[in-house]
Amino acid sequence: MKNIFKLICGVFLIGTITVSCEDYLDKTIETDLSINEVFKDFNNAQGWTEEMYAMMVDYAGAFWQYYGYYGEESVNNRTWMFDFSIDQGNYGNWATQRGMFLIVQGGNNSSPKDTNADYPFDRSSIWVSSWQGIRKANIAIENAETLMVNATQQEKDAIMGQSYFFRAFFHHEIMKFWGSIPYIDRVLENDWQLPRPSEWSETALSIDADFDRAIALLPADWDDSNWAPGAKTRGQNGFRITKGAAMAMKGKNLLFAASPLMQGSDNTYGYNKELSMKAAEALAQVIQMPRYQLVPWDNYGSVFYSTNGQYPLSTEFILSQPGNVGWYPRYLPSIWQLTDVAMSSGDTGAAPTHNYIHNYFGMKDGLACDDSPLFDPQDPWKNRDPRFNKWIVVDGDQLIDNLGAATGAAAVHRYAQFFNDGAHRNPNKTTGSLTGYGMKKWSPRNFNKFDNVEAFGWRAHVRLTDVYLMYAEAAVMAYGLNGTAPGFNMSAVDAINAIRERAVPDGSLNVQPQYLTSVNKFMDEIRRERAVEMSYENHRWMDVRRWKLGTDMKYRLKTGIRFDRNAAGKPINFQEEIIRTKVFEEKHYWLPFPQNDTELYEGFPQNPGW
């Protein structure tokens, strides 16, 4: 048998030492192992399998942690970033633009490895790594069960369960951005000219079947004493793929398949009821797993960052890339959010838009700003939903805990100055906030150059709040306002209220009656809630597209707010200004495939309009 696999130098242990294997083809006989050696036992097979974890995109990685916002939730002035190209409608730049997770950093699309010395760690990307991951999973699926002669059945199940999960996951990742692709369920050799399905659901159902296979084989917790494959790394298994992760992704994949864009519907409420039912059932099972709990409000920051030198793995954590623990991700939230945006030590970076904050972060009575009698346009930050105050930086907010550290000329940075000509609102729009807001969701306040506290910002592919929100969306379209998934006692309304009661336990923030007059009216409220809770977590662009809302002007505008201060220092004279209007046409619902790929054979057409 041809030797095609590089020597695996040791088990790729998540949370301990990582050994990466690369360049799988054409190695010399002295350094290569045969496929029989690769899968002879659990250690070798797990070394192969765990490379697929590194092929997942780390959405918390440098650059795209704060520049992967392709929706209307933020704006920046960096014309060389892909989100600027997105705003201009130049989606074809995805293969060459910097600072994004679809391809590799710096526009080098020949390899998933970043060679820029300023950012000394590897990155994975959707386009390159997902295709590689699919092939890697297929190699494991075709060989592990039969070749692992020195392994227990549990160990075989662990390899096969992870591999089925990753095969499904990587297909889903590609389809989120480019639309339907053929489901590749074997190692392709000369039979690679597969026709592209016309229906998203065709591949989505194949994805679903693989998630089911993974669910059947994987444990709820690798640290379970009855799960022998996890024993060697017990206490360090937090990132491993579990039954819950596979079930959550099953629900997400089905919800996407049920959504208006994937159904080819021009009706923003045009969901597939059968797929919605299946999604709701899967997501309900995740919510009922004892392992997962909504994190209490007082400790909610632990979901997004940690100051103890470790990535936070809270009871909300379900699935994420293990992360590359380098210097840059640790300092990114400080340098580009509180330091650059709020303290003007560099160029603008991404600032939250006023339109997003006004449209979605509502009032403490549970109503949207435009619906609430509490909203005062000349005192717009008063009486707001507490999540607004928790995650958004506004004029006058304290920026530094140790005020004594900011002395002399630096004392100006103690409190945010976003008013016209304020220290953190430079009118030339090259430093400071473009919009009059900053964002503090991904780091504690004292994570700045004056307090000098170190922290790790974090994003998960799936966390429990996301599951609650997806369940609400699927359940209301499947069962109506008060219906529930089989064997579950939570309605869509209950799911939204459970999230809001974390912030305000007395129920005053709960869904108000005027939003419960119809399924469609309540769906609008679910979408508003999702915009708040999942804000700045790399979901927005996908959500707006799958809901078929991208061409609506509401989702294209990016605005800021201008204001002065009176003699007493109170903000006055508020005026909204349009900073940018996104270009979004029908063709922009999907990214274009590389032209060369669509010319290789008939049966793989380019996306419409490209």
Side-chain angles (χ1 to χ4, degrees), residues 257-306:
S259 296
L261 176 63
M262 290 69 174
Q263 290 298 308
S265 175
D266 289 327
N267 175 9
T268 185
Y269 308 105
Y271 286 71
N272 180 290
K273 184 173 182 178
E274 181 181 356
L275 291 173
S276 296
M277 292 172 67
K278 291 180 178 180
E281 184 175 353
L283 296 163
Q285 292 185 54
V286 179
I287 294 172
Q288 294 175 89
M289 291 181 177
R291 174 179 178 147
Y292 307 118
Q293 301 290 329
L294 292 175
V295 172
W297 181 250
D298 291 344
N299 195 37
Y300 203 10
S302 68
V303 173
F304 308 111
Y305 57 79
S306 171

Side-chain angles (χ1 to χ4, degrees), residues 220-479:
D221 187 345
W222 279 66
D223 280 348
D224 188 330
S225 59
N226 295 318
W227 181 249
K232 292 183 178 180
T233 51
R234 189 153 288 143
Q236 302 178 69
N237 291 318
F239 288 106
R240 296 192 187 279
I241 303 301
T242 62
K243 193 182 299 292
M247 186 67 75
M249 282 302 305
K250 172 185 172 71
K252 183 175 186 177
N253 170 63
L254 289 168
L255 176 61
F256 278 36
S259 296
L261 176 63
M262 290 69 174
Q263 290 298 308
S265 175
D266 289 327
N267 175 9
T268 185
Y269 308 105
Y271 286 71
N272 180 290
K273 184 173 182 178
E274 181 181 356
L275 291 173
S276 296
M277 292 172 67
K278 291 180 178 180
E281 184 175 353
L283 296 163
Q285 292 185 54
V286 179
I287 294 172
Q288 294 175 89
M289 291 181 177
R291 174 179 178 147
Y292 307 118
Q293 301 290 329
L294 292 175
V295 172
W297 181 250
D298 291 344
N299 195 37
Y300 203 10
S302 68
V303 173
F304 308 111
Y305 57 79
S306 171
T307 58
N308 63 6
Q310 301 293 323
Y311 284 120
L313 293 177
S314 69
T315 57
E316 279 212 20
F317 175 83
I318 297 176
L319 172 67
S320 180
Q321 203 262 13
N324 296 298
V325 185
W327 64 270
Y328 206 66
R330 286 189 276 175
Y331 292 99
L332 185 61
S334 174
I335 293 174
W336 284 356
Q337 288 307 119
L338 292 183
T339 304
D340 276 2
V341 173
M343 297 181 182
S344 304
S345 66
D347 57 5
T348 299
T353 55
H354 173 70
N355 53 288
Y356 190 84
I357 290 170
H358 178 82
N359 290 338
Y360 305 111
F361 284 83
M363 307 301 291
K364 68 179 184 180
D365 58 5
L367 296 174
C369 291
D370 289 342
D371 296 334
S372 175
L374 296 179
F375 180 72
D376 179 355
Q378 291 306 314
D379 195 0
W381 308 319
K382 182 180 179 182
N383 295 321
R384 298 298 290 265
D385 180 328
R387 294 170 293 184
F388 169 86
N389 304 106
K390 198 173 189 71
W391 294 330
I392 304 299
V393 180
V394 300
D395 187 72
D397 279 358
Q398 184 175 332
L399 299 178
I400 302 166
D401 275 355
N402 181 11
L403 298 182
T407 59
V412 70
H413 298 303
R414 292 175 175 177
Y415 300 95
Q417 297 184 38
F418 290 144
F419 60 93
N420 297 334
D421 298 326
H424 308 132
R425 183 64 181 274
N426 196 316
N428 66 18
K429 297 187 177 181
T430 59
T431 60
S433 174
L434 280 172
T435 64
Y437 296 97
M439 194 259 286
K440 54 186 177 182
K441 190 172 188 178
W442 299 104
S443 59
R445 182 172 62 198
N446 57 9
F447 188 23
N448 61 69
K449 64 184 180 182
F450 297 101
D451 292 319
N452 199 31
V453 171
E454 195 173 274
F456 287 83
W458 184 249
R459 280 186 180 87
H461 283 272
V462 185
R463 63 182 180 93
L464 187 60
T465 296
D466 189 11
V467 172
Y468 270 77
L469 290 162
M470 290 190 293
Y471 172 77
E473 185 177 338
V476 75
M477 284 302 176
Y479 307 109

Side-chain angles (χ1 to χ4, degrees), residues 9-26:
C9 304
V11 180
F12 189 139
L13 299 178
I14 297 174
T16 56
I17 184 169
T18 61
V19 181
S20 178
C21 298
E22 56 190 18
D23 301 330
Y24 306 118
L25 301 178
D26 300 326

Side-chain angles (χ1 to χ4, degrees), residues 565-571:
R565 282 183 178 179
N566 63 19
K570 179 179 174 59

